[in-house]
Amino acid sequence: MYAFGASSGGSFVGMLSSQMKQDPEEYAPFLFSAANIQIMAPNEHDHWDIPTVFTTMSGDTQTSKRVQDWVNNEMQVGKGPYKIITTSGRKPIHVNHFARVFQDDRQMSDRISGSIHQDLSTLGVVNSSTDEVFANPRFAKDAVMSIWQKYDLLSRKEVANDSKHVDASDVHPFGVSKRLMRSLKKEELDDADSIWLIEELNVAWDEHEITAEGFEDVLEFFLENGSAQLE
């Protein structure tokens, strides 16, 4: 069983890995074979020896150092193995960014993606010349909120109701299928209505956000090392 966790979820995976090492019978047969902890360093009092991949962001040097210090202290000979993946750095938000990211969502188009990009540029979130995020998006909450609210469920349903070509019942948060939407609680639906923009900006800023970057390397590492725990 492979474990994945980011930020506080990463701390939780580390805590469980430590508890499983201390008392495996308590958790058997649901024991982790390997773990991927993203954007979070383990707590000093947590100790485990299963194969582990740490994913850190290049913009978060403090977490990267804490991860390296923990590895130096814990992952000695006979433990692990371990791997540290550091993201490639800040990324541009191009005019077709959202059309590319949500290419399987028929609601998103090159036109809408371009409109979102224009809004980001106009409100000073993205540099229109370089497509780079100007500053930490978490410190531009008002601008980011005004943009996602322009494309939220309520706004797009109102547009659909005024249109003869779109059924309002077919409108859902970008990146969320109608089938998944039916299972979401109201709070989860509210989150889904905004994270399509917020998380993309945070990933572009490359400091603290769950990321898919390097995930193929994580799976390869698991397949090479995690199965050894089952022997």
Side-chain angles (χ1 to χ4, degrees), residues 88-106:
S88 58
R90 292 176 183 167
K91 303 159 185 65
I93 299 287
H94 296 303
V95 67
N96 66 339
H97 178 87
F98 298 97
R100 178 176 54 81
V101 170
F102 302 110
Q103 58 182 327
D104 295 329
D105 190 337
R106 292 184 296 176

Side-chain angles (χ1 to χ4, degrees), residues 42-172:
N43 293 317
E44 293 181 0
H45 58 266
D46 286 338
H47 311 280
W48 68 84
D49 54 11
I50 60 172
T52 305
V53 179
F54 297 97
T55 304
T56 62
M57 287 192 152
S58 61
D60 186 1
T61 55
Q62 183 176 2
T63 296
S64 297
K65 182 181 184 305
R66 290 179 58 211
V67 167
Q68 188 62 63
D69 290 344
W70 188 90
V71 164
N72 292 341
N73 291 329
E74 294 294 332
M75 292 296 188
Q76 304 299 327
V77 177
K79 295 184 178 181
Y82 74 91
K83 183 182 183 72
I84 298 177
I85 296 175
T86 303
T87 56
S88 58
R90 292 176 183 167
K91 303 159 185 65
I93 299 287
H94 296 303
V95 67
N96 66 339
H97 178 87
F98 298 97
R100 178 176 54 81
V101 170
F102 302 110
Q103 58 182 327
D104 295 329
D105 190 337
R106 292 184 296 176
Q107 301 176 115
M108 181 59 72
S109 64
D110 288 334
R111 180 185 61 80
I112 294 177
S113 182
S115 178
I116 296 169
H117 183 272
Q118 181 61 52
D119 292 336
L120 290 169
S121 300
T122 300
L123 293 179
V125 179
V126 170
N127 187 321
S128 60
S129 299
T130 64
D131 288 338
E132 295 178 349
V133 179
F134 270 117
N136 191 331
R138 291 183 171 89
F139 299 145
K141 290 183 179 179
D142 290 343
V144 173
M145 182 181 297
S146 69
I147 295 171
W148 72 253
Q149 286 180 337
K150 180 179 177 180
Y151 302 93
D152 67 8
L153 276 179
L154 180 61
S155 299
R156 290 189 290 121
K157 282 182 178 291
E158 288 178 352
V159 172
N161 286 328
D162 295 336
S163 171
K164 297 180 180 179
H165 306 290
V166 181
D167 187 336
S169 65
D170 291 331
V171 177
H172 46 87

